[in-house]
Amino acid sequence: MTAVFATATPARAAERPPVTQAAYLADRLRENPVHITDQLPREIPRSTAPDFARLAKRTGVPTYVLILPMHSGPDAKRLLGEVHDRLGRDGLYVLFEGTDLAEAAAYGVRAPTDAAVTVALYELPYDAGPLRRFERFIDVIAQEKATARAEAARDKYQDREPADMYIGPSDRRNQSLLTGTLLSGVPLLIMLLAGYVGRRRRRSGAERRVPRWVVPGVAALTATAIAVTASVVFDETKSSAAKPPTPAELVARVERVAAGLKQDPVYADPESPRVLDSPRLNRLHDRIRDFRRSDGGGPVYVSLVPQPFESEAAGDSGLFAAAVHAKVGEDGIYVVADPDDGTIDVFNHGLRLDSNHLSFGLPDSVTVGDSSGDEADPHLLGKRLDTLMTFLDKTPRTDRPQFEPAPADAPEADENTLPPLFATDFWPGLLTGAVLALLLWGVVAGLTRAFGRLLRWRSPAPE
């Protein structure tokens, strides 16, 4: 009886109608008027929700904010309408897809949403960040001449974008190189030229009038001025507007998916559009149950979850699967199917299946698909997952369980922090500055001698 109950549980889970994307998001907004996905912690950690809520109060009307992964659906405005219908509350609804302000709609209130979205899109550079973009959006909502401002912004930035607000690591290295070059090159050039001029004056019999400490003092003051000026001019500390995530935010999505897989071997991300209808979902459950009972088979866990670069795994599906496997605590085949781009990745964690066959024998028509597809089965994920189960059935068995190699670690959580100015290429810059100072001194000395010879040739009398 226990075995029958265990095998029947997935079927019953599949028969339950899945919660729609709009219904799930409406429930989240019912709990909190600002919902931030847990799938973008590297770019928009959930701890920024109070900042969005504080800005939303400035609209003077009930405001609901959804921040979801990229490509939350085929029609952002339709999604907002469905969420509003589910929630049953009038107000201003704003949707971010990643860091982009995708759509805004007013239901039962007056607000220039189209103009506000246009201004936030055109007036700010792409790296402004969602919080600053939302603040600009709110400012326009409260403005009387919002339409005129939107038209002006569109005309001004139609062919060119505003200047970037942040620099990248390569820009910081260039700043460090320039600072080091100037810091060593300019003071050294001053001392070399001053010494050269002094020697020529002594040779010509001119009296010495400059104290010895003046030249080193001028060089030291110049070096200090360069260092202080560079620190003021190159004062950037971050490469983006993203706030560093907390350790809890970096594991929230993995824990959510793992908890879902413990209840059902197929986990569909509730924040994303549904990609498997009930017949396809039921068939997938049946195939998974049959494979588990087969000779040499075992559990199969399917995660229908997007893999954005801003996620905890930085878009690495292998790293995501390994983290989910560790949380689920059971060996098996872990499948990561991205409902956004339609890719399917398969990882063997502890089953007696030939991992080489899984890695190199799986056809591209399963892993990446092709250009065909239909609305009833986006990316043909249902059909391709069914083909994958057939491939697993035919995969050669091994004598011992096989495991995936340990994936590379994800980038550090504070990757948006720029290195100090006086680091990285600053030290090579010091050497570069010294070499350039010597070269320039040699050029000046050579030109001076050549010019002097020319004067003596044209006029033997001393000038």
Side-chain angles (χ1 to χ4, degrees):
M1 292 179 61
T2 302
V4 172
F5 177 81
T7 57
T9 299
R12 288 204 301 270
E15 291 171 359
R16 291 196 302 266
V19 179
T20 65
Q21 180 188 22
Y24 175 83
L25 296 176
D27 290 340
R28 302 289 76 74
L29 292 180
R30 192 171 287 110
E31 298 170 356
N32 191 321
V34 176
H35 172 68
I36 299 180
T37 178
D38 59 4
Q39 307 195 61
L40 307 171
R42 295 179 179 274
E43 190 68 35
I44 317 173
R46 306 184 81 174
S47 57
T48 58
D51 298 326
F52 282 91
R54 184 179 64 255
L55 291 173
K57 292 181 179 179
R58 290 163 48 181
T59 63
V61 298
T63 303
Y64 303 94
V65 182
L66 289 170
I67 301 179
L68 304 179
M70 292 296 293
H71 308 299
S72 58
D75 190 338
K77 185 175 286 291
R78 185 179 65 186
L79 176 61
L80 286 182
E82 293 175 353
V83 171
H84 164 255
D85 294 340
R86 288 280 186 173
L87 186 59
R89 300 175 184 176
D90 288 341
L92 178 62
Y93 287 71
V94 183
L95 172 63
F96 279 85
E97 292 183 341
T99 60
D100 297 331
L101 178 55
E103 190 58 77
Y107 301 97
V109 298
R110 295 177 61 87
T113 55
D114 292 341
V117 171
T118 299
V119 171
L121 173 65
Y122 281 95
E123 286 190 352
L124 294 175
Y126 78 97
D127 63 345
L131 190 61
R132 184 175 280 107
R133 202 172 297 279
F134 183 60
E135 183 177 18
R136 185 65 55 91
F137 172 86
I138 295 299
D139 291 341
V140 179
I141 288 292
Q143 189 175 5
E144 293 183 359
K145 299 181 179 179
T147 302
R149 181 173 176 179
E151 293 176 354
R154 187 184 293 107
D155 293 339
K156 183 176 181 181
Y157 299 107
Q158 185 72 37
D159 299 324
R160 61 182 180 89
E161 293 184 358
D164 294 344
M165 302 183 68
Y166 297 91
I167 64 172
S170 60
D171 298 316
R172 170 45 54 91
R173 289 194 294 270
N174 292 337
Q175 293 176 347
S176 298
L177 179 65
L178 177 60
T179 301
T181 301
L182 294 177
L183 192 58
S184 63
V186 175
L188 179 59
L189 184 62
I190 291 175
M191 298 185 68
L192 289 173
L193 292 179
Y196 179 71
V197 171
R199 287 193 298 271
R200 290 187 61 85
R201 288 173 59 86
R202 287 193 296 271
R203 290 175 183 175
S204 63
E207 296 182 2
R208 179 180 178 84
R209 299 180 182 180
V210 180
R212 292 180 177 272
W213 57 268
V214 171
V215 174
V218 171
L221 288 176
T222 302
T224 302
I226 291 173
V228 172
T229 302
S231 300
V232 174
V233 175
F234 304 142
D235 61 344
E236 300 91 345
T237 59
K238 299 176 60 179
S239 60
S240 77
K243 178 182 177 182
T246 63
E249 290 170 328
L250 287 174
V251 299
R253 184 175 75 144
V254 171
E255 292 178 344
R256 169 168 64 90
V257 174
L261 290 175
K262 290 179 180 180
Q263 302 297 323
D264 189 325
V266 180
Y267 181 82
D269 178 40
E271 293 182 339
S272 302
R274 292 289 172 263
V275 293
L276 298 181
D277 56 17
S278 294
R280 285 289 187 185
L281 189 58
N282 289 335
R283 176 168 174 78
L284 182 58
H285 276 95
D286 293 340
R287 298 295 304 271
I288 290 174
R289 183 176 60 250
D290 294 341
F291 179 78
R292 184 164 189 161
R293 294 172 175 175
S294 66
D295 181 27
V300 176
Y301 298 99
V302 180
S303 302
L304 292 161
V305 180
Q307 299 298 315
F309 181 77
E310 298 82 5
S311 67
E312 74 292 326
D316 188 335
S317 58
L319 186 60
F320 173 76
V324 171
H325 166 241
K327 289 293 182 180
V328 173
E330 185 172 0
D331 291 341
I333 295 294
Y334 284 77
V335 180
V336 180
D338 193 329
D340 181 10
D341 61 16
T343 57
I344 297 177
D345 296 305
V346 184
F347 305 95
N348 182 11
H349 287 282
L351 294 192
R352 292 190 300 106
L353 300 181
D354 187 346
S355 293
N356 288 331
H357 185 70
L358 287 176
S359 299
F360 303 107
L362 196 61
D364 292 342
S365 59
V366 174
T367 57
V368 297
D370 51 38
S371 58
S372 63
D374 55 61
E375 295 183 358
D377 189 359
H379 303 294
L380 295 177
L381 276 178
K383 179 180 178 181
R384 290 160 55 206
L385 287 172
D386 190 67
T387 304
L388 170 63
M389 295 307 302
T390 301
F391 182 86
L392 292 178
D393 290 334
K394 298 179 180 179
T395 298
R397 271 47 174 176
T398 58
D399 295 334
R400 296 181 180 181
Q402 297 193 0
F403 295 87
E404 296 290 333
D409 295 334
E412 294 294 333
D414 60 347
E415 59 183 348
N416 294 324
T417 300
L418 292 172
L421 178 63
F422 300 99
T424 61
D425 287 354
F426 171 76
W427 307 109
L430 293 177
L431 178 61
T432 302
V435 172
L436 291 178
L438 291 172
L439 290 176
L440 186 58
W441 170 75
V443 171
V444 171
L447 291 177
T448 302
R449 291 178 180 177
F451 186 67
R453 291 175 181 175
L454 178 62
L455 290 179
R456 287 193 297 273
W457 176 74
R458 296 187 60 183
S459 177
E463 292 290 343

